[in-house]
Amino acid sequence: MSEEERFLEVGFDELLGLASSDPAAALKEVEAALIDDVDPEFRARALRVSGLARANLGELRLAQLDIDDALQAAEFSGDRTVLGETQMTRAGILAWSGQQEESLEAIDAAFELLDGAQKAMAQAQRGGIHYRLGNFALARLDLDDAIGALDAAGEIMWGGHAMTNRGLLNAYEGNVDAARAD
C-alpha cells in the first residue's frame, strides 16, 4: 500500500481532527504521504493538514509556508471545494498570526468558492474574524446565518463554535442572557 493510499484510508477528515488533537502525529502521517509524487488535490489536502498541525504546534511561519504550497496545489487541481477549504485553513492561520485583514480576504475567497455545509463553516469563521476586527454588526449577521445553516446540516462542532463566538459577542455587547443561552 502506498503512503497516499494509507493516508486516504485513515481519512482526510480524521487527519484534520488529528492536526488539532495530536498535531505531531498528524505531521508524521502527512510527511510520509508527501514523499511520493502525488496529484495536486491530494497534495493540497495533505499540506492543509500539515499547515493546520504546524499552526497548532505554534510554528506559524512553517504553517504559512505549508498553506501557501497547499493553495498552489489546490489552484492547480481546479477543484473549487479543495481551493475553498484551503482558503479557510489559510484564513485561520493568518488570523492566528495576527494578520486579521488578510485573514478576512482569505475567508471571503473561501466563501465564494464553497456551498452547502462548507459555505456555512466559512461563514461561521468569517463571523469570528469580523468579531476580532470589531465589526460586530457583520459578525452578528454571519454568525446568525451560519448557526441556522450549520444546525440544518447537522454540523454540531462547527455550530457549537459559531454559538460560542456569538456568545462572546453577546457578552461583549452586554447581552448577558443571550450570551448564556449561546
Side-chain angles (χ1 to χ4, degrees):
M1 175 184 300
S2 75
E3 289 297 330
E4 182 176 353
E5 290 168 331
R6 195 168 75 71
F7 181 88
L8 293 172
E9 187 175 288
V10 170
F12 176 69
D13 289 335
E14 288 79 14
L15 287 172
L16 272 178
L18 191 62
S20 294
S21 64
D22 189 351
L27 276 176
K28 278 186 178 181
E29 291 287 336
V30 169
E31 287 170 355
L34 288 172
I35 290 171
D36 299 328
D37 187 28
V38 295
D39 78 308
E41 181 180 332
F42 176 84
R43 182 172 179 73
R45 289 178 184 258
L47 285 166
R48 183 175 166 220
V49 169
S50 180
L52 183 57
R54 290 188 192 286
N56 282 313
L57 289 169
E59 301 171 352
L60 294 175
R61 181 67 189 127
L62 293 174
Q64 286 181 330
L65 292 173
D66 280 350
I67 208 66
D68 288 346
D69 288 348
L71 192 60
Q72 264 188 333
E75 288 171 348
F76 188 72
S77 80
D79 186 310
R80 290 175 55 90
T81 301
V82 171
L83 181 56
E85 290 172 345
T86 303
Q87 283 284 23
M88 279 182 66
T89 303
R90 181 172 174 260
I93 291 169
L94 288 167
W96 291 338
S97 300
Q99 300 172 60
Q100 300 303 324
E101 292 294 336
E102 293 86 349
S103 176
L104 187 57
E105 291 171 14
I107 202 62
D108 283 343
F111 188 77
E112 294 303 318
L113 292 165
L114 299 170
D115 55 23
Q118 286 87 5
K119 187 170 194 149
M121 292 173 197
Q123 189 169 26
Q125 188 174 353
R126 187 172 68 182
I129 294 167
H130 277 305
Y131 171 73
R132 285 189 296 281
L133 286 169
N135 302 331
F136 300 136
L138 293 173
R140 180 163 308 281
L141 289 172
D142 275 337
L143 292 170
D144 286 347
D145 287 348
I147 288 167
L150 292 165
D151 184 48
E155 290 291 340
I156 296 168
M157 186 198 74
W158 274 93
H161 180 70
M163 288 179 73
T164 299
N165 278 335
R166 190 175 68 183
L168 291 169
L169 175 60
N170 285 326
Y172 182 80
E173 292 179 335
N175 301 324
V176 176
D177 291 337
R180 284 188 180 130
D182 281 338

